[in-house]
Amino acid sequence: MDINADTFLTTVYVIIDDFCARHLPPVRPGPKPIMSDSEVLTIQVVKTWHGSSERGALAWIAQTYAAYFPHVLSPSAFNRRAHALAPKMALLQHDLVERLRSGDETCEIIDGLPIPLASPVRGQHRRCFTQDEADIGRCSNGKSWYYGVEMMTAVTASGVITGFVTAPARNGERWMANALYSWRADPTVPPIDIELAPKSRRRNHPPVGPGGHFLSPTSAGTIVTGVYLADGNFTGDEWQQAWKARCGATVITQDTIDRPLIHWFHDARQRVETVFAELTTTLHIKNPLVRSEQGLVTHLVSTCTAFNLGIYINRTYDRDDLRIGTLFRG
């Protein structure tokens, strides 16, 4: 069945308000805020369907849905509240994972999604980010370059995003996977194992491993299955043995799977491509109009939370899980 905008907004608010009642302190010092945390988080999730700048999305909310949000904060005040609530947004994402998990899950699919922030030339000459936050890197297909970050993402076979970590685009994908597995096992331990660094074939080009953005240990999530289907960028006996021994992560690639299961392996990995397509075309995860690491990470965690929330609402109303694009049109 299709649902209208009123039903969608009410459902989103009820889910988030219930989460806030369970996980956020009911009383805070100082005067009562104009907007509650539930309202801020609801707007932060809903505006991912709009896909414009922060200012444009807030103006759209204030004009179109004034009956639901009669007191929308100014863009600067709203951004401060949203950035402060980003860790809670990550917890909401993981709370939805627990609700959406099924008992028959046997594996997750892991892959990297490039997040361009600007053209490479502008990124180098008019940068808003330091090299520890964003940089120039190559897409996984090896054919194009971009300036931004990469989001290493794990999804279930049904498409639920169970966690992600982010790092500058120049970082190697195996290092990012290493960070994801390590932080899932223990979010307080630094993820980089320098003895696993591959030898660079070119002088003055040492291998680079991610430290991760400030929210990555939280957004990585927890161990769901411990078994990950990965592409050829994650091969290497030394890496896979270390991930198994230190993080409890079993990584399966094409060259480690039995030949009769090759077709199943490739079919299963198509799920992550479907998820990335929805994140890109429906929820506008790429090319965010942000100017700080906090704004970037808040945008990414809000988008992934909106995706999981979309699956939850689809299941509530007996719709296909990944009909995210037809869920809300504004």
Side-chain angles (χ1 to χ4, degrees), residues 150 152 167-178 207-210 234:
E150 184 166 8
M152 186 58 57
R170 72 182 187 280
N171 287 236
E173 287 194 329
R174 281 187 293 191
W175 284 111
M176 297 189 68
N178 184 57
V208 180
F234 302 91

Side-chain angles (χ1 to χ4, degrees), residues 18 34 45 55 80 97 122-123 127 142 145 172 175 197 214 284 296:
D18 174 69
I34 296 176
V45 166
R55 188 178 297 273
R80 287 194 296 271
V97 172
R122 186 181 181 193
R127 62 176 62 196
W145 296 83
W175 284 111
F214 71 93
H284 312 97
L296 171 62

Side-chain angles (χ1 to χ4, degrees), residues 87-274:
K88 299 301 181 184
M89 183 73 80
L91 294 180
L92 172 60
Q93 178 194 344
H94 303 323
D95 184 74
L96 290 167
V97 172
E98 293 300 317
R99 298 190 191 192
L100 295 169
R101 285 179 61 176
S102 59
D104 57 353
E105 291 165 351
T106 58
C107 64
E108 297 170 74
I109 303 97
I110 185 171
D111 208 348
L113 176 65
I115 308 293
L117 300 177
S119 67
V121 173
R122 186 181 181 193
Q124 285 285 34
H125 294 285
R126 288 190 170 185
R127 62 176 62 196
C128 296
F129 302 90
T130 67
Q131 284 191 326
D132 291 333
E133 297 170 351
D135 207 344
I136 292 179
R138 181 174 290 189
C139 293
S140 57
N141 60 16
K143 298 180 180 179
S144 58
W145 296 83
Y146 70 100
Y147 174 83
V149 301
E150 184 166 8
M151 186 174 77
M152 186 58 57
T153 313
V155 305
T156 64
S158 60
V160 178
I161 299 175
T162 60
F164 68 91
V165 298
T166 54
R170 72 182 187 280
N171 287 236
E173 287 194 329
R174 281 187 293 191
W175 284 111
M176 297 189 68
N178 184 57
L180 178 70
Y181 305 144
S182 298
W183 278 323
R184 285 190 161 192
D186 188 348
T188 64
V189 175
I192 296 177
D193 299 308
I194 196 64
E195 67 270 17
L196 292 179
K199 303 298 182 182
S200 177
R201 296 183 179 181
R202 296 179 294 173
R203 296 181 61 186
N204 302 323
H205 287 78
V208 180
H213 293 117
F214 71 93
L215 201 58
S216 286
T218 302
S219 65
T222 58
I223 298 174
V224 177
T225 64
V227 179
Y228 302 89
L229 307 184
D231 61 23
N233 293 329
F234 302 91
T235 57
D237 293 339
E238 188 178 6
W239 288 88
Q240 293 179 7
Q241 291 170 8
W243 291 331
K244 178 66 174 178
R246 302 179 189 184
C247 310
T250 301
V251 180
I252 300 174
T253 56
Q254 180 175 333
D255 58 351
T256 62
I257 198 170
D258 294 335
R259 190 170 185 81
L261 297 176
I262 289 294
H263 290 295
W264 168 84
F265 174 83
H266 289 297
D267 287 343
R269 277 197 48 81
Q270 285 301 311
R271 178 60 68 183
V272 72
E273 301 299 335
T274 304

